[in-house]
């Protein structure tokens, strides 16, 4: 049994098989809707069912207020039709040259940039081209079939290794391996399997609005790729990069950002530290990074925001920036949700 889904604004239609989510079916039909975690944890895929019957999941119940749910708001990454549907959502893109592929990759370099941050470089097969938009992410497909998502930290350069910035989450299946010691630890030459590119977090080049880039911790990875793309494409829109961490060491590529700030007249870098210790001798901005943006710019109505990193930073920014006038469709985000967030959601049900 398949159901027909119609996107109200554009009249695009696609079929959803029994048991398939609206997001998965759209992607399978080369219609890219906004998404990030694909697990009902980040709100990126939130949309509205205008007519028809459907079944949504735990993320919709936990993250969307009841009044909005009553009007049909739901997360398309977990919503399954029970009849033909008409939905409201943005189409990010229709089919392009970029194809999602499963590929083997080889670890070529591992460099610790902070106690809990590893920059890992991976070589894709020379026989295959791996195209992506700066800002997108890949997933590792682990031996047990589970997946872990990591943002691509460089703009796409044909045949060059891809770069990831991986933060150690103690007790985590994959990052304990990356940061491990002994026989089971990740090593140069290790072969892994990835799928990608994924996600709708990339620079909207058609806009001329000033850009705010908001990064927390390793959320800097896709932001770095986007800045490289801005530089390479000669885009001269004003760009303000706010990068937050608990301590200065969390802003692990501070020198690169300062170099961009020195070199590019339209680029400003504002590092923000929330829990500096006296020995850090931190002289810069303090507090929460999403709040620093609001301290500088009270009215966000004319801006575009690209936010990436810890889920709490992304959800706080989404709420506060909407109140500061940022149109919902100008907030682009990748929230680094993990198994811990899903467990938390399960416990809240
Ligand atoms: C779109 C996207 C992009 C991302 N990009 C990046 C990136 O560029 N860089 C980056 O560092 N991260 C990124 N992440 C996060 C990343 O995918 C992983 O979630 C993270 O690295 C943890 O993986 P892990 O296997 O080590 O931990 P997991 O095994 O997933 O565990 C995560 C944490 O939860 C705890 N945990 C696990 N199971 C339970 C349980 N049952 N009860 C309680 N606690 C539990 C673990 O101890 C650990 O601390 C991204 C996430 C998304 C969704
Ligand atoms: S909640 Fe659906 S993509 Fe994250």
């Amino acid at each position: 049994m398949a159901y027909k889904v119609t996107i109200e604004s554009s009249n695009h239609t696609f079929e959803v098989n029994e048991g398939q989510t609206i997001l998965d079916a759209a992607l399978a039909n080369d219609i890219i809707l906004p998404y990030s975690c694909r697990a009902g944890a980040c709100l990126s895929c939130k949309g509205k069912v205008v007519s028809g019957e459907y079944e949504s999941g735990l993320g919709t119940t936990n993250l969307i207020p009841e009044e909005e749910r009553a009007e049909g708001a739901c997360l398309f990454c977990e919503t399954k039709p029970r009849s033909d549907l008409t939905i409201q959502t943005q189409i990010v893109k229709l089919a392009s040259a970029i194809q999602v592929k499963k590929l083997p990759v080889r670890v070529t370099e591992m460099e610790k940039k902070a106690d809990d941050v590893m920059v890992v470089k991976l070589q894709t097969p020379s026989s295959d081209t791996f195209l992506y938009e700066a800002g997108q992410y890949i997933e590792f497909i682990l031996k047990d079939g589970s997946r872990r998502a990591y943002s691509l930290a460089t703009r796409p350069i044909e045949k060059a290794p891809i770069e990831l910035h991986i933060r150690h989450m103690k007790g985590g299946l994959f990052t304990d391996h990356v940061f491990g010691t002994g026989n089971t630890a990740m090593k140069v030459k290790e072969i892994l399997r990835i799928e990608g590119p994924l996600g709708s977090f990339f620079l909207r080049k058609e806009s001329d609005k000033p850009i705010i880039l908001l990064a927390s911790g390793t959320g800097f990875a896709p932001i770095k790729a986007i800045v490289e793309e801005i530089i390479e494409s000669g885009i001269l829109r004003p760009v303000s990069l706010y990068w937050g961490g608990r301590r200065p060491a969390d802003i692990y590529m501070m020198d690169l950002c300062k170099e961009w700030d020195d070199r590019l007249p339209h680029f400003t870098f504002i590092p923000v530290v929330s829990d500096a210790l006296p020995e850090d001798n931190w002289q810069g901005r303090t507090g929460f990074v999403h709040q620093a943006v609001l301290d500088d710019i009270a009215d966000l109505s004319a801006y575009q925001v690209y936010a990436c990193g810890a889920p709490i930073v992304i959800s706080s920014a989404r709420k506060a920036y909407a109140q500061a006038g940022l149109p919902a469709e100008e907030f682009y985000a990748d929230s680094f949700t993990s198994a811990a967030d899903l467990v938390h959601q399960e416990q809240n049900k």
Side-chain angles (χ1 to χ4, degrees), residues 269-306:
F269 170 51
I270 304 106
V272 184
V273 170
S274 60
D275 297 295
L277 296 178
E279 63 261 36
D280 293 329
N281 197 21
W282 177 247
Q283 308 288 327
R285 298 275 292 268
T286 54
F288 293 133
V289 64
H290 79 283
Q291 182 58 42
V293 173
L294 294 170
D295 294 344
D296 292 348
I297 311 166
D299 179 0
L300 288 170
S301 54
Y303 287 79
Q304 262 189 350
V305 174
Y306 296 83

Side-chain angles (χ1 to χ4, degrees), residues 70-82:
E71 308 254 286
C74 57
L75 300 176
F76 289 150
C77 71
E78 56 172 25
T79 297
K80 297 170 186 170
R82 290 279 164 263

Side-chain angles (χ1 to χ4, degrees), residues 12 31-32 52 71 73 86 88 97 109 121 131 144 153 182 213 218 233 237 240 261 264-265 283 303 305 318 343:
H12 282 95
I31 298 175
I32 302 179
E71 308 254 286
T86 301
Q88 280 177 357
E109 220 179 297
K121 294 196 180 165
L131 295 173
D144 67 357
L213 303 173
T218 44
S233 311
R237 293 157 64 185
S240 305
D261 189 313
L264 306 167
Q283 308 288 327
Y303 287 79
V305 174
R318 190 191 295 276
V343 169

Side-chain angles (χ1 to χ4, degrees), residues 35-38 40-45 75 77:
Y35 76 96
S36 175
C37 72
R38 296 200 292 178
C42 77
L43 278 175
S44 290
C45 65
L75 300 176
C77 71

Side-chain angles (χ1 to χ4, degrees), residues 28-330:
N29 284 280
D30 289 333
I31 298 175
I32 302 179
L33 305 182
Y35 76 96
S36 175
C37 72
R38 296 200 292 178
C42 77
L43 278 175
S44 290
C45 65
K46 183 180 162 192
K48 189 169 168 181
V49 176
V50 183
S51 66
E53 302 296 313
Y54 60 98
E55 179 192 317
S56 53
L58 210 52
T60 297
T61 319
N62 285 340
L63 301 179
I64 302 182
E66 200 178 343
E67 322 79 81
E68 287 187 51
R69 276 187 274 134
E71 308 254 286
C74 57
L75 300 176
F76 289 150
C77 71
E78 56 172 25
T79 297
K80 297 170 186 170
R82 290 279 164 263
S83 72
D84 290 350
L85 300 181
T86 301
I87 62 169
Q88 280 177 357
T89 180
Q90 279 173 279
I91 295 182
V92 175
K93 248 187 184 181
L94 296 171
S96 71
I98 293 180
Q99 279 177 2
V100 180
K101 296 177 176 175
K102 288 192 178 125
L103 296 171
V105 289
R106 181 190 294 270
V107 178
T108 57
E109 220 179 297
M110 296 174 67
E111 186 190 354
K112 244 187 176 182
K113 285 282 184 190
D115 284 351
D116 62 349
V117 177
M118 187 79 81
V119 170
V120 175
K121 294 196 180 165
L122 304 165
Q123 189 63 56
T124 55
S126 55
S127 53
D128 217 330
T129 326
F130 183 63
L131 295 173
Y132 61 93
E133 298 270 7
Q136 287 192 288
Y137 70 91
I138 55 102
E139 281 180 349
F140 286 110
I141 307 169
L142 307 185
K143 289 205 176 90
D144 67 357
S146 63
R147 288 166 175 252
R148 295 294 183 275
Y150 295 94
S151 303
L152 294 152
T154 52
R155 76 177 185 87
I157 302 172
E158 217 176 302
K159 305 289 178 207
I162 57 176
E163 177 181 312
L164 310 176
H165 298 177
I166 300 180
R167 186 168 78 84
H168 191 189
M169 288 190 86
K170 290 213 170 84
L173 177 67
F174 184 68
T175 61
D176 270 2
H177 169 61
V178 174
F179 286 81
T181 49
N183 286 343
T184 56
M186 178 183 267
K187 291 185 185 65
V188 169
K189 291 195 180 153
E190 178 170 327
I191 305 282
L192 293 138
R193 225 172 141 62
I194 64 164
E195 182 170 24
L198 299 167
S200 55
F201 186 68
F202 48 78
L203 185 68
R204 288 359 186 222
K205 288 186 180 170
E206 65 284 2
S207 170
D208 58 2
K209 291 187 173 184
I211 298 167
I212 292 170
L213 303 173
L214 178 75
S216 91
T218 44
F220 175 65
I223 299 283
K224 171 174 172 280
I226 287 175
V227 175
E228 288 177 0
E229 186 64 30
I230 288 172
I231 297 171
E232 176 65 20
S233 311
I235 292 169
L236 296 175
R237 293 157 64 185
V239 180
S240 305
L241 165 59
Y242 291 80
W243 185 2
R246 270 161 304 160
R247 298 189 52 196
D250 294 326
I251 305 174
Y252 52 86
M253 289 191 175
M254 184 102 75
D255 288 348
L256 173 67
C257 299
K258 284 184 178 159
E259 190 262 314
W260 287 333
D261 189 313
D262 290 342
R263 185 159 58 90
L264 306 167
H266 59 109
F267 183 93
T268 313
F269 170 51
I270 304 106
V272 184
V273 170
S274 60
D275 297 295
L277 296 178
E279 63 261 36
D280 293 329
N281 197 21
W282 177 247
Q283 308 288 327
R285 298 275 292 268
T286 54
F288 293 133
V289 64
H290 79 283
Q291 182 58 42
V293 173
L294 294 170
D295 294 344
D296 292 348
I297 311 166
D299 179 0
L300 288 170
S301 54
Y303 287 79
Q304 262 189 350
V305 174
Y306 296 83
C308 192
I312 182 67
V313 175
I314 305 307
S315 59
S316 307
R318 190 191 295 276
K319 245 188 241 156
Y321 296 177
Q323 283 164 7
L326 183 76
E329 65 279 10
E330 297 291 20

